Amino acid sequence: MMKSAKRRVKGAKKAILKRSFPATPATWILLVAALSAARYSEHEPTLGVLGKLERGMPWRQNLDPKTVIAVAVLVCATILWMLIGHIHQFILRQLLCYRAFLYEPRGKLSLKTKFWLVAKNPTLYSYEKSLPYLPVPDLDNTTKRYLESVRPILGDERFKKMEKLAVDFKNGLGKKLQRYLVWKSWWSTNYISDWWQQFVYLRSREPLMINSKLLWSVPSQIQSARAANMIHAMFLYRKQIFKEKLEPQFAMGIIPLCSEQFRRTFNTTRIPLKEQDHLHHHGATTHTVIYHRGRFFRLEAFYRGVLLKPADLERQILRILQDESKPVQGEELLPALTSAERNLWAETRSTYFSTGVNRQSLGSIEDAAVFLNLEDLEMDYWEDESEKLDALCRYLLHGNGHSCWFDKSFSSYIFKNGRFGLTAEHSWADAPIVSHLGETLLAEDIQCMGYKEDGHCKGEPEFDLPPPKRLQWDIPDKCVSIIESCQKNAEVLINDLDLHVLVHTAFGKGAIKKCRISPDAFIQMGLQLAYFKEQQTFSLTYESSMTRLFREGRTETVRPCTTESCAFVRAMLNPSATNSERKELLGEAVEVHVNGFRKAMSGQGVDRHLFGLYVVSKYLEEDSPFLKEALTEPWKLSTSQTATQQTKRTDYAKNPEMKTAGGGFGPVADDGYGVSYIIAGEDTIFYHITCKVSSQLTDCKRFSENIKKAMAEIKALFD
């Protein structure tokens, strides 16, 4: 109990000093000074409170009058400070509920919206406790909007059935489930995020491979130098998070976004357990684990409490590259366990890695700030060599099955020619957080640290350091057999993934904006047209949106396949339709899509609400045919835009070498596509298209060609 109380006091002190408390120490000092000046000048700004405190002190007879006044001023100032701070926080939370800016055109913000431009020097978590809680949408609106979204993809008979199920649900069981969800929203900071993490991610028993990745430019082709700079940049970024020096993000530069997900960027590992995994966040260790040629090395990034300079790190990394030792039994394929079905990995971990040297070495990996693979492969590409680009992006999704520790929050690759990539686990955060990390690392690497003319790190080594420590393992034959079977299963998944990167340079954001259309909506309409061209049908489409305008917000779903988008697609394929008619239908489809995106960001989405109702129904052991039907409809087209230029340090016009091809993920449905796209500056759009080789209905390159044709046909409407 004493330790718990001490932790709370320590946390309160930290909250005040870090400005996550409603008021700052500086305001308390100002209040004390103001009250002292008022008291000694015989003014009474506290409406008699200060005088009552002076007269009400039981020990005042034993104190000097000046001491009595000083104590009363301190007590009164503290009470006022806390009261004003909490009132300020309440008002700020109400103001942060403001969402009108989402509906205002860029460059024409209202006076209310411009109010947010007066914020001064915020720290990373300044706004966390003032952010509003995610609201529970109205049940009638959710069922209505759900029916509108599935109308174009269900036949008349299926739609009538679904309509009846929806009406029965909202008039019956839905009301009961809604009450429980509203009650939860009263006492939780976010009514859905904890369940989303628990049931969608941590309780999933599926392998973690084939999720997401990022790739960046190559300022140096010397592997050891690039690795040293990136490790140094990662620890600098981690320090910015710990010290809360990282600048918080704002939607459209106005409303603050929740920064909670940044906390677990480093030193975080998803620990496999039976039934449900656990996210383990160690805090602040000083080492990184490097995997090279099937061996694990523990590299200390600090010496005597000081972060090593890149030149020292490069010399340490060279020692690893020059180490000629061989992997011990089972060591080379050991990471394949993290690609396995989660219950198998949990059982294997408990049996063979819970004691002795194996537990110690596994602990070094799981507690490491960073996991980095020094690859022997040379991965490179040019824009006209699409096969090489595809191979690189495919490798960054899954490696060779054992080249990545998939449990880590993110794992890094440094290829032999200096190319750098990231593979991220998804349960701890969403893609924009990893993208922000990548952008900052690249900016630090290119703009701040740089390299010598020969490609090595700048400066000279300062310390005579001991070599990195090789992790030791004692893996028995039975465990080796399990590891080998995991590797074989991983290879099956790898061989079933098809990926193609479309580098669309015919036109980009610049030309789309001249059409007076949202670039995201333009791309989504292009995907709808391309998908129908290929499949001759419409399918449920997923587009990821964020809800970080709310505390602990994560994602929501936008449904781009609408009645309006389908009408537009049919018009594009109808020879008798005129361009004027097509443009009008496109405008209607875009307006509906943009409004859907705004509603999702405003906490009025459909899918997380339905998911929350479903979880409540399972807790209450109630069966809902409507929710069962609604949540089992497959997402045959799953899409997401990779966030880019999130920092002020990333300017593609000034620094075109910082352009990135973005990230990708695997398909959600066996016979569907996964499409991640990034708007890279004014003239380029990257599409990462994935599907399963085993599917007879999908083909990445074929879909890529249809996307190019669809984009050109929509653009031609405005030429």
Side-chain angles (χ1 to χ4, degrees):
M1 289 294 289
M2 286 293 293
K3 288 183 178 179
S4 177
K6 286 180 179 178
R7 279 198 297 270
R8 285 196 294 270
V9 171
K10 186 177 180 181
K13 288 180 180 178
K14 186 176 179 181
I16 292 170
L17 293 173
K18 296 294 186 181
R19 296 183 64 187
S20 57
F21 188 74
T24 62
T27 58
W28 179 79
I29 294 171
L30 286 173
L31 268 175
V32 170
L35 288 181
S36 298
R39 177 64 182 81
Y40 287 105
S41 62
E42 298 184 355
H43 288 82
E44 177 53 278
T46 63
L47 302 178
V49 174
L50 190 56
K52 288 181 180 179
L53 283 172
E54 291 179 23
R55 294 189 297 272
M57 288 185 191
W59 59 84
R60 64 187 298 269
Q61 303 297 335
N62 302 322
L63 295 176
D64 180 82
K66 290 184 178 180
T67 305
V68 172
I69 293 172
V71 172
V73 165
L74 288 174
V75 172
C76 187
T78 302
I79 293 171
L80 284 173
W81 177 69
M82 296 186 71
L83 183 62
I84 292 170
H86 282 285
I87 291 173
H88 169 264
Q89 186 185 65
F90 174 79
I91 293 172
L92 184 58
R93 181 178 290 121
Q94 300 309 307
L95 290 171
L96 288 174
C97 292
Y98 179 64
R99 295 291 175 264
F101 75 96
L102 290 172
Y103 298 87
E104 295 173 355
R106 290 181 182 273
K108 296 182 180 179
L109 302 178
S110 66
L111 288 175
K112 287 183 180 179
T113 299
K114 290 178 180 177
F115 171 80
W116 296 107
L117 301 179
V118 302
K120 302 290 185 182
N121 300 321
T123 60
L124 182 59
Y125 303 121
S126 290
Y127 298 105
E128 290 305 288
K129 291 189 177 181
S130 298
L131 288 174
Y133 295 172
L134 185 69
V136 179
D138 179 74
L139 183 61
D140 287 347
N141 285 340
T142 294
T143 52
K144 177 185 175 183
R145 293 181 59 218
Y146 169 77
L147 290 173
E148 289 173 351
S149 72
V150 297
R151 184 65 188 93
I153 63 172
L154 299 180
D156 291 340
E157 187 175 336
R158 281 191 66 196
F159 181 75
K160 287 180 181 178
K161 176 186 174 184
M162 183 59 76
E163 194 173 32
K164 184 179 183 307
L165 290 175
V167 171
D168 292 344
F169 174 75
K170 74 176 182 179
N171 292 331
L173 177 61
K175 291 183 178 180
K176 179 180 178 181
L177 304 181
Q178 178 79 351
R179 281 198 302 272
Y180 278 93
L181 211 54
V182 171
W183 291 342
K184 188 195 175 191
S185 73
W186 290 347
W187 54 262
S188 63
T189 51
N190 189 299
Y191 81 90
I192 201 65
S193 286
D194 56 341
W195 285 348
W196 185 252
Q197 179 175 280
Q198 178 184 359
F199 293 105
V200 174
Y201 294 119
L202 299 182
R203 283 204 178 187
S204 171
R205 303 293 85 195
E206 297 297 315
L208 301 184
M209 272 200 323
I210 308 175
N211 274 323
S212 60
K213 59 97 187 96
L214 299 164
L215 61 105
W216 311 92
S217 63
V218 188
S220 172
Q221 293 191 347
I222 298 177
Q223 187 178 25
S224 58
R226 190 80 200 281
N229 262 18
M230 297 311 290
I231 290 173
H232 186 81
M234 287 178 194
F235 278 96
L236 289 179
Y237 186 82
R238 188 184 74 163
K239 182 180 179 180
Q240 283 188 297
I241 293 175
F242 286 172
K243 299 290 185 181
E244 299 184 25
K245 300 297 185 184
L246 201 65
E247 185 178 350
Q249 295 176 294
F250 294 83
M252 297 172 62
I254 303 165
I255 302 292
L257 301 180
C258 180
S259 300
E260 183 65 28
Q261 295 179 47
F262 283 98
R263 295 184 193 275
R264 295 184 290 192
T265 306
F266 296 90
N267 300 92
T268 300
T269 303
R270 179 169 167 173
I271 305 298
L273 298 172
K274 285 293 185 70
E275 295 186 5
Q276 180 177 317
D277 293 350
H278 167 66
L279 276 180
H280 168 69
H281 180 65
H282 186 274
T285 53
T286 60
H287 72 279
T288 178
V289 168
I290 293 181
Y291 180 77
H292 177 58
R293 292 180 184 171
R295 305 155 304 161
F296 296 85
F297 295 85
R298 178 180 173 127
L299 171 63
E300 291 293 337
F302 288 75
Y303 183 66
R304 296 175 182 171
V306 178
L307 177 61
L308 293 174
K309 298 292 178 60
D312 283 301
L313 290 169
E314 182 180 2
R315 186 160 66 175
Q316 293 294 81
I317 292 166
L318 273 172
R319 287 175 166 177
I320 295 174
L321 293 173
Q322 294 166 0
D323 190 304
E324 296 183 356
S325 62
K326 303 296 181 184
V328 300
Q329 175 179 269
E331 183 180 12
E332 182 176 5
L333 300 181
L334 181 61
L337 287 171
T338 66
S339 73
E341 191 271 338
R342 301 305 289 174
N343 281 343
L344 173 61
W345 173 208
E347 184 177 347
T348 305
R349 184 179 183 276
S350 174
T351 305
Y352 300 105
F353 296 92
S354 58
T355 59
V357 68
N358 287 349
R359 177 69 195 99
Q360 186 177 355
S361 294
L362 181 62
S364 288
I365 295 173
E366 293 177 343
D367 292 343
V370 177
F371 183 89
L372 186 143
N373 181 359
L374 294 172
E375 273 286 0
D376 262 353
L377 296 172
E378 286 198 12
M379 286 288 190
D380 213 345
Y381 71 91
W382 302 100
E383 286 189 0
D384 59 344
E385 294 182 302
S386 61
E387 293 297 329
K388 289 186 178 180
L389 178 57
D390 291 353
L392 169 60
C393 294
R394 190 179 297 116
Y395 195 86
L396 288 173
L397 272 178
H398 50 60
N400 55 19
H402 63 270
S403 57
C404 172
W405 201 267
F406 293 102
D407 288 353
K408 295 296 289 182
S409 54
F410 71 93
S411 297
S412 312
Y413 287 93
I414 303 288
F415 293 95
K416 198 168 185 179
N417 58 343
R419 188 164 291 283
F420 172 66
L422 295 172
T423 298
E425 199 276 319
H426 213 345
S427 63
W428 65 280
D430 302 309
I433 307 301
V434 184
S435 179
H436 188 279
L437 164 67
E439 280 189 18
T440 307
L441 295 182
L442 188 64
E444 192 72 29
D445 185 25
I446 294 176
Q447 298 173 1
C448 298
M449 293 184 289
Y451 300 86
K452 297 177 182 177
E453 290 185 3
D454 61 2
H456 287 283
C457 293
K458 290 183 176 180
E460 299 298 329
E462 297 180 10
F463 304 108
D464 183 16
L465 301 167
K469 181 182 177 182
R470 173 86 182 272
L471 298 187
Q472 302 299 310
W473 305 94
D474 181 16
I475 304 176
D477 292 340
K478 287 185 178 180
C479 184
V480 172
S481 298
I482 295 172
I483 293 171
E484 290 174 347
S485 68
C486 290
Q487 174 64 24
K488 290 178 181 177
N489 291 336
E491 289 172 359
V492 170
L493 293 175
I494 289 169
N495 293 332
D496 195 29
L497 178 73
D498 188 18
L499 179 146
H500 176 63
V501 179
L502 166 61
V503 185
H504 187 274
T505 55
F507 60 89
K509 181 173 66 174
I512 294 174
K513 286 191 294 187
K514 291 179 181 178
C515 302
R516 299 180 181 275
I517 290 179
S518 154
D520 180 76
F522 190 105
I523 291 170
Q524 285 291 338
M525 294 307 107
L527 290 172
Q528 290 298 310
L529 178 56
Y531 187 84
F532 191 85
K533 279 174 174 284
E534 176 172 301
Q535 301 292 330
Q536 296 300 304
T537 187
F538 297 107
S539 291
L540 199 61
T541 305
Y542 180 106
E543 181 185 5
S544 179
S545 166
M546 64 90 174
T547 56
R548 288 172 58 208
L549 291 168
F550 301 94
R551 191 169 177 185
E552 295 180 20
R554 294 206 56 169
T555 61
E556 178 56 275
T557 305
V558 182
R559 295 175 169 230
C561 184
T562 61
T563 300
E564 290 77 9
S565 71
C566 293
F568 161 69
V569 168
R570 290 192 179 97
M572 290 295 290
L573 300 176
N574 181 3
S576 62
T578 65
N579 277 1
S580 178
E581 293 170 338
R582 291 166 178 165
K583 284 175 70 173
E584 184 178 350
L585 290 171
L586 173 62
E588 293 173 1
V590 165
E591 184 178 357
V592 170
H593 178 76
V594 171
N595 280 332
F597 210 101
R598 289 166 175 162
K599 287 182 180 296
M601 288 182 65
S602 300
Q604 298 301 317
V606 171
D607 291 272
R608 298 302 177 268
H609 187 198
L610 292 178
F611 173 76
L613 294 168
Y614 178 76
V615 173
V616 174
S617 74
K618 289 303 176 184
Y619 274 126
L620 299 179
E621 297 183 349
E622 297 274 10
D623 187 51
S624 168
F626 168 70
L627 291 175
K628 185 177 180 181
E629 287 286 330
L631 294 173
T632 54
E633 188 72 28
W635 301 99
K636 294 193 176 182
L637 184 56
S638 182
T639 72
S640 178
Q641 181 181 167
T642 302
T644 184
Q645 293 181 280
Q646 296 187 76
T647 70
K648 296 175 182 177
R649 301 169 67 180
T650 308
D651 187 331
Y652 290 162
K654 295 179 181 178
N655 305 102
E657 73 278 5
M658 294 184 67
K659 238 179 221 187
T660 168
F665 53 86
V668 175
D670 289 342
D671 56 350
Y673 288 108
V675 181
S676 175
Y677 54 93
I678 180 170
I679 302 171
E682 297 295 307
D683 55 5
T684 307
I685 304 170
F686 289 95
Y687 294 83
H688 291 250
I689 307 163
T690 60
C691 68
K692 291 195 174 182
V693 175
S694 56
S695 172
Q696 301 297 313
L697 299 175
T698 54
D699 181 276
C700 286
K701 289 189 176 179
R702 184 180 69 205
F703 192 41
S704 170
E705 289 301 314
N706 280 319
I707 290 174
K708 283 195 288 188
K709 292 176 183 176
M711 292 288 283
E713 289 170 8
I714 297 176
K715 174 67 169 56
L717 296 177
F718 299 88
D719 291 342

